[in-house]
Amino acid sequence: MRVYKGQRMIVLDGPEGVLRTIPMDLGFAPEGHKQFEGDGRTPEGSYVIDRRNPESLFHLSIGISYPNEADIAYAKAQGRSPGGDIFIHGGPRPGIDPTNKRDWTAGCIAVSDREIEDIYAMVKNGTPIDIYS
């Protein structure tokens, strides 16, 4: 799985090449790598899909293994928390209206409800995810 933040696109790869491309939205501060809790950024780097939440406040979600050891060490050296709970998820909880707003999450990757249903079914825990700027 590959995520291209600048192009706002997820690429799902299969054994013989690209299976699908999916448009997405990002955190409210989309530029740069997530470093600290509350910075609104989406991480960049190599992670894995490490959990799934069918009871999410959003329409399904799958977890990204942020923070890794390097993320934790950097934040700790700055006396800060790296944050966490970074997911790929569907539509928002009540009270958030992203219909005319790009990059509305708090650092997650948002897709349509239909797209997260497909991703949730296709992408298993342990799947590598590379997130690029």
Side-chain angles (χ1 to χ4, degrees):
M1 184 175 213
R2 294 175 283 143
V3 173
Y4 295 95
K5 291 172 49 175
Q7 296 174 353
R8 305 300 192 275
M9 180 175 50
I10 297 172
V11 178
L12 298 179
D13 294 308
E16 298 186 21
V18 174
L19 295 174
R20 193 142 169 214
T21 59
I22 299 168
M24 63 175 198
D25 287 324
L26 297 169
F28 58 80
E31 302 298 321
H33 173 59
K34 181 167 191 61
Q35 296 177 319
F36 307 115
E37 183 174 6
D39 66 10
R41 293 181 175 153
T42 302
E44 296 173 0
S46 295
Y47 299 93
V48 297
I49 300 302
D50 66 351
R51 63 201 182 280
R52 50 196 60 243
N53 185 0
E55 303 297 323
S56 173
L57 293 175
F58 298 87
H59 184 72
L60 299 176
S61 63
I62 59 173
I64 298 172
S65 64
Y66 175 88
N68 61 27
E69 289 182 20
D71 298 320
I72 293 167
Y74 179 80
K76 184 176 180 180
Q78 304 300 311
R80 311 258 317 259
S81 166
D85 287 335
I86 301 298
F87 289 87
I88 300 172
H89 60 68
R93 67 188 116 182
I96 298 174
D97 180 14
T99 54
N100 291 313
K101 185 176 179 194
R102 183 175 225 177
D103 301 332
W104 56 273
T105 77
C108 293
I109 297 167
V111 298
S112 73
D113 289 352
R114 177 71 187 137
E115 301 291 2
I116 192 59
E117 290 170 5
D118 291 345
I119 293 169
Y120 197 91
M122 294 171 68
V123 176
K124 306 302 178 206
N125 287 1
T127 299
I129 177 170
D130 293 314
I131 305 172
Y132 303 97
S133 59

